[in-house]
Amino acid sequence: MSGHHLLAGFAEPGELMGAIEKAREAGFSDLEAYSPFAIEGVAEAIGHRPTRIRIVMAVAGVIGAACGFGLQAWSAMVAYPINSGGRPLFSWPAFMLVTFELTVLFAVVAGFVAFILRSGLTKLHQPLFAAPNFHRASHDLFFLRVTVDGDANAARELLKGLSPIVIDEVPA
Amino acid sequence: MSYEAITSEVMNPLLMTRVGRIWWISLLVSLALTVMMVVSILWLFANGIGVWGLNQSNIWGFAIANYVWWIGIGNAGTLISSMLLLTRQRWRASVNRFAEAMTLFAAAIAGLYPILHLGRPWFFYWLMPYPNTMGVWPQWRSPLVWDFFAIASYLIFSLLFWYTGLIPDLATARDRAAPGLRRALYGFMSFGWTGSASDWLRLESFYKTAAAMAVPLVFSVHSVVGLDFAAGLAPGWAETIFPPYFVFGAAYSGFAMVVTLAIPIRWAFNLQGLVTRSHLNVMGKMLLFLSLIMSISYATEWFMAWYAGSEAERDLILFKFFGAYAPYYWLMLACNCVIPLALWVPAVRRTPKLILAVALAINLGMWLERILITTTTPSHGHLPSSWQIYTPTIWDWTLWFGTLGFFTLLFLIFVRLVPFISLHEVKQFDWQRRRA
């Protein structure tokens, strides 16, 4: 995120979508949108690639299942075999439950950690917070962020033409 | 409603208004009950589980019954948030946040009971598989070990799921709060959330995938509770219907608890615009549906006892209807099967006071059901010489009311600290509705 950022706040998600299109047409490529709720299609319009969190969760789930089942099988057969009423030591149907619980647990914990790390949610302060109206991004405004490399006036004129409610500059 | 109105409706009670006298009185009462809970636990630790009404036959008593009841309450929160999210039920957004909080608190309290019941509670970690000097590992074929894994996974899962949905709303609270300690706290808790499109993408992706895993998880947690009973050979317990019957019973008592909590919160914080009568109407239909399932489950129990031809089973059913616990059994049937039939009437579903009354009856009925399941069988098993009646002692009651108070205390603190309605989802649904 080098350079200089401008933020334009719109009243409705539809206007934001229109603005993204216009900004892209005008040649701005480093865009980001901020909104109080998830809007279908915005990430695609901006050009974000689909998230891979599900893959992380799937892999972690498989690892969880393997750990859970492996631990049970190993401890029941090798480490601590108990003859309980003559039942087989490797009584795998009884192991399925713990295996399942650990699958879910591993997947969810890994998904949460991936979400926090990938979203940069370990940094409590973002430069954006210094913009005067940005607090409304969690409330009622839909912001488009434009990165300006050269002529700031051209970008400002473009954003003004989209008739946003506010235009903010992100202090460096 | 405008976005402004939605934010204000939830945030103003949280940040602007001073709390009323009713909140303080409730807080003091629940605090007193919590102290009572702590005293009961200390007394239990000092004297052993003999302070409860347990006897030679009834070794489970209130502790396990209340465990089942609490985990059941917790169940519905996850069901509401996950199943309704996956099926895109819009009315969910108004109730899911406190339903999930309810889950978290109820599951934590539920987890306490089996530990207290251990007799030597300081050894509870023996249920965990860890490399110890004795070289001993848990008995994986025991439903109680499954229980430990189910509850622990469920608690961690509920916490993460609840918190993920909460992050954007905590950011709203951060942005609305006046500078000071509260704002710093919300800032810390919201992890610097900005609401960028890529963050939303990840949040939604994680949240929906977790919700999809929540449904089988909830079913597994309560099925294991059912298996705790059904894995033995005792009459009245060894029934194949137990796992599904426990799952639906849990959803039933949990939904009733959601209604019980939603109506006072709606009234106290003037949320008539967000938790509308049509929300109550839908939840009323849900309760009615679950009550019919419960009635069928009871009927199945009676039928199977007769059909299977086991003398002990038949005798146990007669004992249920006419034995020592009969008044409670009839009361349970009235609360769970008869009173909810009032929900067929649309006016009852739409009147907050009436639906609250029905929900309270269901809460009582389901609690009686848990107590009766836990006590009837040991009191009237295969061996007549071991027939003994269970009578709870004062310490059973103080611990039970104490945990109710503790739950209320947590809830009262929760509604003062955390946005108790999912702001971002309500706004999203509102927008989608206007666009449609």
Side-chain angles (χ1 to χ4, degrees):
Chain A
M1 283 208 329
S2 66
H4 180 77
H5 297 298
L6 284 178
L7 281 170
F10 299 90
E12 286 294 333
E15 297 170 31
L16 173 69
M17 291 290 267
I20 293 171
E21 213 168 292
K22 294 258 171 57
R24 280 180 77 102
E25 278 168 17
F28 291 96
S29 57
D30 186 11
L31 301 176
E32 182 58 286
Y34 300 90
S35 55
F37 54 81
I39 307 163
E40 230 175 289
V42 161
E44 288 83 356
I46 287 179
H48 290 310
R49 272 180 299 158
T51 154
R52 286 184 297 246
I53 277 192
R54 289 203 178 114
I55 301 172
V56 172
M57 291 175 79
V59 170
V62 172
I63 295 175
C67 287
F69 193 80
L71 174 74
Q72 293 178 82
W74 170 75
S75 68
M77 289 195 302
V78 181
Y80 193 64
I82 314 171
N83 185 338
S84 155
R87 292 179 189 86
L89 290 178
F90 181 63
S91 38
W92 64 269
F95 301 160
M96 292 328 283
L97 223 127
V98 172
T99 307
F100 171 75
E101 305 295 339
L102 288 184
T103 309
V104 174
L105 185 67
F106 272 53
V108 167
V109 171
F112 185 77
V113 171
F115 157 62
I116 294 292
L117 292 181
R118 287 289 293 146
S119 304
L121 293 187
T122 44
K123 281 182 281 183
L124 298 188
H125 186 81
Q126 307 281 353
L128 283 165
F129 294 158
N133 288 298
F134 189 72
H135 62 96
R136 288 175 72 180
S138 67
H139 167 41
D140 64 344
L141 284 190
F142 301 81
F143 283 95
L144 173 65
R145 190 197 72 198
V146 178
T147 308
V148 191
D149 283 326
D151 184 9
N153 282 333
R156 199 175 272 276
E157 284 309 311
L158 168 84
L159 290 181
K160 265 190 194 151
L162 302 169
S163 56
I165 305 223
V166 290
I167 295 186
D168 274 354
E169 206 165 307
V170 182
Chain B
M1 264 209 251
S2 68
Y3 301 127
E4 170 63 37
I6 296 172
T7 316
S8 306
E9 189 146 344
V10 176
M11 284 299 164
N12 287 356
L14 204 61
L15 298 171
M16 313 285 181
T17 353
R18 293 178 63 82
V19 284
R21 197 180 295 156
I22 295 176
W23 188 85
W24 282 109
I25 293 171
S26 320
L27 188 81
L28 285 177
V29 171
S30 56
L31 202 62
L33 287 170
T34 308
V35 171
M36 188 166 90
M37 176 187 84
V38 173
V39 171
S40 319
I41 292 176
L42 290 178
W43 186 256
L44 174 76
F45 284 175
N47 296 287
I49 50 171
V51 301
W52 290 338
L54 305 173
N55 54 42
Q56 291 277 300
S57 315
N58 277 285
I59 51 165
W60 277 4
F62 260 37
I64 299 302
N66 286 336
Y67 151 69
V68 179
W69 190 77
W70 276 117
I71 196 93
I73 298 289
N75 225 310
T78 316
L79 275 182
I80 285 187
S81 33
S82 56
M83 232 137 91
L84 302 182
L85 176 75
L86 297 172
T87 53
R88 296 166 198 237
Q89 303 290 320
R90 294 198 178 155
W91 60 274
R92 156 192 186 276
S94 296
V95 293
N96 74 323
R97 178 66 44 73
F98 54 81
E100 285 164 28
M102 177 187 89
T103 293
L104 207 55
F105 303 151
I109 292 173
L112 209 60
Y113 270 108
I115 292 176
L116 294 178
H117 182 257
L118 280 177
R120 287 186 290 170
W122 52 93
F123 289 139
F124 77 93
Y125 62 88
W126 283 11
L127 285 166
M128 264 183 260
Y130 67 104
N132 54 61
T133 50
M134 299 174 281
V136 177
W137 290 89
Q139 170 54 281
W140 301 106
R141 302 172 193 95
S142 156
L144 293 177
V145 171
W146 303 346
D147 245 353
F148 170 77
F149 276 86
I151 301 172
S153 309
Y154 189 50
L155 258 181
I156 297 170
F157 174 90
S158 310
L159 183 67
L160 294 180
F161 190 66
W162 178 71
Y163 203 86
T164 306
L166 199 53
I167 290 173
D169 288 355
L170 288 171
T172 310
R174 168 197 70 199
D175 293 343
R176 289 281 273 205
L181 182 67
R182 267 193 104 126
R183 184 156 161 186
L185 192 65
Y186 286 131
F188 181 70
M189 293 199 305
S190 59
F191 294 159
W193 172 262
T194 57
S196 72
S198 50
D199 291 359
W200 277 120
L201 196 64
R202 283 187 210 103
L203 184 138
E204 289 245 298
S205 174
F206 168 63
Y207 198 66
K208 286 199 177 137
T209 317
M213 307 188 83
V215 178
L217 182 72
V218 165
F219 276 69
S220 80
V221 170
H222 224 87
S223 297
V224 173
V225 177
L227 287 172
D228 289 347
F229 292 83
L233 288 174
W237 281 355
E239 297 174 17
T240 46
I241 197 181
F242 257 41
Y245 161 45
F246 269 55
V247 170
F248 283 105
Y252 188 39
S253 61
F255 261 92
M257 188 56 104
V258 171
V259 174
T260 311
L261 294 170
I263 290 172
I265 290 179
R266 173 180 187 267
W267 167 77
F269 294 103
N270 286 317
L271 296 174
Q272 280 81 354
L274 289 179
V275 184
T276 59
R277 276 169 194 249
S278 66
H279 287 121
L280 298 179
N281 183 27
V282 180
M283 293 209 273
K285 284 182 188 166
M286 204 65 205
L287 283 179
L288 179 61
F289 167 67
L290 289 166
S291 116
L292 296 176
I293 292 189
M294 287 319 284
S295 305
I296 293 172
S297 302
Y298 297 144
T300 310
E301 276 201 302
W302 306 327
F303 173 76
M304 288 315 290
W306 167 76
Y307 186 66
S310 152
E311 206 56 50
E313 290 273 354
R314 288 184 191 178
D315 205 37
L316 185 81
I317 296 293
L318 287 178
F319 178 70
K320 281 185 181 175
F321 276 106
F322 308 109
Y325 306 125
Y328 306 105
Y329 195 65
W330 289 103
L331 179 62
M332 177 202 93
L333 289 177
C335 286
N336 285 350
C337 305
V338 182
I339 294 174
L341 293 178
L343 295 170
W344 282 107
V345 183
V348 175
R349 294 198 301 264
R350 287 171 187 279
T351 314
K353 273 182 196 143
L354 290 178
I355 191 173
L356 179 65
V358 174
L360 285 171
I362 297 172
N363 278 324
L364 173 67
M366 285 310 292
W367 181 73
L368 281 170
E369 187 202 291
R370 301 329 193 179
I371 299 291
L372 288 171
I373 286 183
T374 317
T375 52
T376 312
T377 290
S379 298
H380 206 84
H382 286 293
L383 201 62
S385 64
S386 62
W387 289 355
Q388 268 181 306
I389 297 305
Y390 176 78
T391 319
T393 64
I394 182 80
W395 294 107
D396 280 306
W397 290 108
T398 52
L399 184 61
W400 155 240
F401 283 111
T403 52
L404 276 180
F406 184 50
F407 179 76
T408 319
L409 179 78
L410 291 172
F411 223 87
L412 287 167
I413 295 170
F414 157 76
V415 295
R416 288 306 299 162
L417 277 184
V418 171
F420 44 80
I421 288 204
S422 183
L423 274 176
H424 63 98
E425 281 175 274
V426 172
K427 284 177 188 168
Q428 190 184 23
F429 286 137
D430 195 55
W431 168 63
Q432 283 170 352
R433 202 196 42 191
R434 277 187 287 125
R435 199 179 51 154

